[in-house]
Amino acid sequence: MKKTFPILMLILLTSLLQIANAQPITKYSDNVSTLNGIIKAYYDVVTVKKGGKVSYERDSLIHWPDVSVGSASINKNGKLTFHYMSLKEYHRRSDAYLEKDGFYEKEISRKVENFGSIYHVWSTYESRNEPGGPIIERGINSIELFFDGTRFWILGWFYDGERKDNPIPKKYLK
């Protein structure tokens, strides 16, 4: 018994250290404890095979509750406009399109600034309907995040697509 007690204590301490150092992982296996992990989740959640399903629940687990999101675009009258909405409304408007045609968006460049627990990410992206398919859009996502000491939360994001009158600046392509 005297020999097994130190071994049992070592196993117990090792187990407790592993639990204490565990990284926050969502039920969808998204590692939200690192900036790279949450940005990966951000892109993964909008990637869907043609005929697949987008998961609003998964997306909501990486966002701050009641988050608002948006996009800039040119309306049918040629005027610049901004669409600002809840994450749920964004899914209501976009999921059917993403699921019908398939959608693959990936980050091609990233610029990060932070102060304390607040982070701002300029994430340049390119979108396709299928992996390796033609690029259907490029643009920049402006993503605001909060790190609570354990995990990152997306506070909001906004994007604008590249157009002839709105090319992506070279500094966002490095």
Side-chain angles (χ1 to χ4, degrees):
M1 179 69 175
K2 289 183 181 181
K3 290 183 180 181
T4 45
F5 182 73
I7 293 171
L8 289 174
M9 287 304 292
L10 182 60
I11 292 170
L12 177 63
L13 286 173
T14 302
S15 297
L16 289 174
L17 283 173
Q18 286 176 340
I19 291 168
N21 291 326
Q23 297 176 333
I25 307 288
T26 69
K27 75 183 228 180
Y28 294 93
S29 300
D30 296 318
N31 180 352
V32 293
S33 68
T34 68
L35 185 61
N36 283 339
I38 198 159
I39 296 297
K40 180 182 181 311
Y42 172 82
Y43 280 99
D44 285 352
V45 81
V46 297
T47 295
V48 60
K49 290 181 181 179
K50 184 176 181 176
K53 285 288 186 197
V54 176
S55 174
Y56 169 73
E57 179 186 40
R58 179 183 181 192
D59 206 12
S60 67
L61 292 174
I62 64 173
H63 287 84
W64 191 259
D66 301 319
V67 67
S68 293
V69 301
S71 64
S73 64
I74 303 296
N75 69 17
K76 62 183 176 185
N77 298 324
K79 301 286 182 189
L80 191 59
T81 186
F82 191 74
H83 307 279
Y84 188 67
M85 66 203 88
S86 70
L87 183 64
K88 192 169 206 160
E89 177 65 12
Y90 171 79
H91 277 274
R92 188 189 70 73
R93 290 180 179 198
S94 67
D95 287 3
Y97 163 78
L98 302 177
E99 294 166 357
K100 177 181 171 276
D101 295 330
F103 191 77
Y104 293 81
E105 187 168 271
K106 74 175 190 173
E107 182 178 60
I108 58 172
S109 180
R110 181 188 306 170
K111 304 287 183 230
V112 179
E113 293 188 21
N114 83 288
F115 177 75
S117 61
I118 301 298
Y119 288 71
H120 182 250
V121 176
W122 292 102
S123 179
T124 307
Y125 67 87
E126 58 186 28
S127 305
R128 296 173 161 82
N129 290 117
E130 58 186 62
I135 296 170
I136 58 172
E137 182 180 52
R138 290 186 346 156
I140 298 178
N141 290 305
S142 172
I143 310 165
E144 297 289 333
L145 302 108
F146 168 64
F147 183 70
D148 69 8
T150 302
R151 64 158 293 172
F152 281 90
W153 294 94
I154 297 174
L155 300 174
W157 52 262
F158 312 95
Y159 71 91
D160 197 356
E162 184 174 44
R163 300 178 295 280
K164 285 183 182 181
D165 68 335
N166 191 42
I168 296 173
K170 289 185 194 292
K171 71 180 182 178
Y172 294 111
L173 291 170
K174 298 177 185 176

